[in-house]
Amino acid sequence: MIKKFHVLYVGQIELDNVGLSGTPANERHYSDARLREAFFTARDVAQLMDELGFDALWTAEHHFQREGYEVFPNLIQLGLWLATQTKRLKFGCAFNVLPMWHPIRMAEDYAMADIVTDGRVIMGVGRGYHTREVESFGAPLLDADKNRELFEEQLRLLLTCFNEPSFHFKGKYYEAPPPVDYRGYKLTDITMVPRPKHLPVEIWMPIASGKTIEMMAQYGLKAMVTLNGEKILDDVVRAYQAACLKHGRKKQLGEDVIWGAGVYLANSRDEAIRRLEPAHDERFKWFAPFGFVRYADEEGRTWGTPGAPSRTPLLKDGVAQKAWFCGPPAEVIDGIKSIEAKYPGLENFMIHWAEGLSPKEFKEQLRWFAKDVMPAFK
C-alpha cells in the first residue's frame, strides 16, 4: 500500500523554447547566473513539499551541463542546505555517482549530513551514464565491465566505512590504510570519523541491468524504478524480489522499491496531454539518446531492441504504458492504484518532474496532487 510520496527533480533550470521543435538540446548554453537558478528552485519546491506533507525530494548529481538539464554537482551538500530551509522533509541522493568520488570521502560527507540533519539525507549511489562526466573524472564508463568492477569495489569500501568500527580494506583499486609508518607504528587499520548516526545506512540505487539487480540484492540496496512502462516495471520488480530472496533477503513484491511516474492533472486527459506534451518531449529530446526509453511493445520487447520501436516516444505512448498519468484526479488515482494493486509491498510513489515544465506550473501541480490525490492513499 502506497504511504509515502516523493518527487524527483534532476536539477533543470527553467528551459525556454521547449518541445520537439524547440531549441535542440546540444545547442542550449546558459550563463552562470541562469544555471544558479536551480538551487533556489530546489529550495522553493522543498519548502512547498514540506508544507504539503510530501516525504522526500530527490535530486541528481551531474557535472558540466551547460545545457541546463541537470546542474547539481553535490547532492549531500545540497540536501544539507535544504534541510536548514525546511522542517521535516527528507532529501534523497538520486544518485551519488561513485566512480567520480573516493568512497571514503563520500562516506564521511554522508555521515556528517546524517548527524547534523538527524537522518534527513537519504543515501543513493549509481554508476553514471554520461561519458562527458565520468570519463572526465578519470573513471571508466565506455568500458562497462571496468565501470561495474570499480563501482562494486567502491560500494564494498563505502559499506565497510559505515559498518565497521575499524578496518583494513584491500582491493584492486583501493587499499585503506596503506601499510605506512605513523607516529612510531605501522598502520594496520583505520576508523572513519564520524560514522553515521543512523545505522545500518539505507542505500538506494536505480534498477538497470540484471547484473545490477544481482549486486543490489547481494549488498542489501533498495531500488528506484522511474518512468518504466508497465511491462518492464513488472519485470524488474519481480527480478529484484527474486534476487533478494536468493541472497536471503525475503521481501514482499514491491517492498523496498520506489516507483516513479510522470503526473499531470487537468480537467480532462486530452487537456492534460496537450499541456504536458512540450515538457515531456523536451525531456526525451535530452534523455532518449542515453537509452532512457524503458517501454515494451506488444510482444514484450524493450524499445530499441531488434524488432521493437526505436523512435523517441510520444506522451501518448507513455500514457498507454502507464509511465505517465494524465487527467482529472480521479483518473490519476485509478491509474496509480492499478499499479499499486500488483505489489503488496509497494509503499513509495515518486512524481517525476518533466524537465520542460516550469517551476510555477510544477508547484501548482504539487498543490493539486496533495489536495486531491494523496488523500486517496493516506
Side-chain angles (χ1 to χ4, degrees):
M1 180 181 295
I2 292 174
K3 301 176 181 178
K4 297 179 181 180
F5 290 89
H6 309 247
V7 166
L8 177 61
Y9 170 43
V10 299
Q12 72 273 9
I13 67 169
E14 185 169 359
L15 301 165
D16 49 58
N17 194 27
V18 301
L20 287 181
S21 61
T23 305
N26 289 343
E27 294 180 14
R28 294 191 181 279
H29 191 169
Y30 291 94
S31 67
D32 291 340
R34 288 296 320 280
L35 295 171
R36 294 184 199 116
E37 292 174 5
F39 295 93
F40 304 101
T41 296
R43 178 199 60 195
D44 295 347
V45 169
Q47 290 174 340
L48 178 63
M49 289 176 62
D50 205 33
E51 173 190 329
L52 294 175
F54 285 86
D55 293 276
L57 171 64
W58 294 75
T59 52
E61 177 193 348
H62 290 289
H63 304 266
F64 317 126
Q65 288 202 23
R66 63 191 183 191
E67 299 89 354
Y69 291 98
E70 303 161 301
V71 304
F72 297 142
N74 189 314
L75 305 184
I76 294 173
Q77 221 177 27
L78 178 64
L80 189 59
W81 173 61
L82 292 176
T84 69
Q85 307 297 302
T86 51
K87 296 178 180 178
R88 42 154 295 278
L89 191 70
K90 291 189 174 184
F91 300 96
C93 303
F95 297 89
N96 297 304
V97 182
L98 267 183
M100 296 191 287
W101 289 81
H102 192 295
I104 296 178
R105 293 306 301 265
M106 172 65 67
E108 290 175 337
D109 286 1
Y110 173 78
M112 288 182 60
D114 180 63
I115 291 165
V116 302
T117 68
D118 197 19
R120 289 174 60 196
V121 176
I122 307 168
M123 187 65 174
V125 295
R127 292 169 47 201
Y129 63 90
H130 288 273
T131 52
R132 179 173 63 181
E133 297 179 350
V134 178
E135 298 278 347
S136 292
F137 277 91
L141 185 59
L142 290 168
D143 188 325
D145 290 336
K146 286 186 177 178
N147 173 271
R148 184 179 291 107
E149 178 185 64
L150 172 63
F151 173 84
E152 185 168 2
E153 183 171 315
Q154 291 179 311
L155 177 60
R156 288 193 287 111
L157 179 50
L158 185 77
L159 291 168
T160 299
C161 289
F162 290 154
N163 297 328
E164 301 297 332
S166 62
F167 64 88
H168 176 260
F169 181 97
K170 185 173 177 61
K172 179 177 178 179
Y173 298 96
Y174 298 94
E175 182 174 12
V180 297
D181 292 332
Y182 179 73
R183 292 179 59 82
Y185 68 94
K186 191 170 291 289
L187 279 179
T188 58
D189 62 87
I190 51 174
T191 297
M192 192 184 84
V193 178
R195 292 174 68 210
K197 176 181 177 182
H198 301 87
L199 292 170
V201 174
E202 177 182 288
I203 303 179
W204 295 79
M205 188 173 172
I207 285 189
S209 66
K211 290 182 179 179
T212 299
I213 293 172
E214 186 73 18
M215 184 194 309
M216 293 168 65
Q218 179 182 351
Y219 293 105
L221 274 57
K222 300 185 178 185
M224 184 181 292
V225 192
T226 62
L227 295 186
N228 282 21
E230 187 175 11
K231 169 66 167 59
I232 295 179
L233 171 67
D234 194 62
D235 288 346
V236 297
V237 170
R238 292 181 185 280
Y240 174 70
Q241 182 200 34
C244 289
L245 182 61
K246 174 183 171 183
H247 289 277
R249 307 176 193 276
K250 187 176 181 180
K251 299 179 188 289
Q252 284 189 301
L253 199 59
E255 184 178 351
D256 289 338
V257 173
I258 294 175
W259 163 50
V263 172
Y264 195 94
L265 297 167
N267 291 324
S268 70
R269 177 179 291 191
D270 287 345
E271 180 188 355
I273 289 174
R274 177 177 58 81
R275 289 178 176 273
L276 178 60
E277 195 165 42
H280 167 279
D281 292 351
E282 185 66 35
R283 189 219 182 249
F284 281 99
K285 193 165 68 179
W286 175 248
F287 283 96
F290 297 113
F292 287 99
V293 183
R294 295 181 177 134
Y295 297 168
D297 68 4
E298 293 80 2
E299 297 180 33
R301 298 171 298 190
T302 303
W303 279 35
T305 58
S310 58
R311 60 180 171 79
T312 300
L314 304 175
L315 178 54
K316 290 182 180 179
D317 297 317
V319 171
Q321 296 267 341
K322 293 190 176 180
W324 298 79
F325 297 95
C326 296
E331 287 187 22
V332 170
I333 290 167
D334 288 345
I336 295 172
K337 283 185 176 290
S338 73
I339 300 295
E340 177 194 42
K342 297 181 178 182
Y343 308 116
L346 183 65
E347 295 186 352
N348 298 280
F349 177 73
M350 170 182 281
I351 300 173
H352 187 110
W353 181 347
E355 282 73 9
L357 203 63
S358 73
K360 179 178 183 292
E361 194 169 3
F362 185 69
K363 286 186 284 187
E364 290 170 354
Q365 287 288 308
L366 288 181
R367 290 188 184 95
W368 197 355
F369 187 90
K371 176 177 176 289
D372 289 345
V373 178
M374 279 167 51
F377 297 88
K378 287 194 172 185

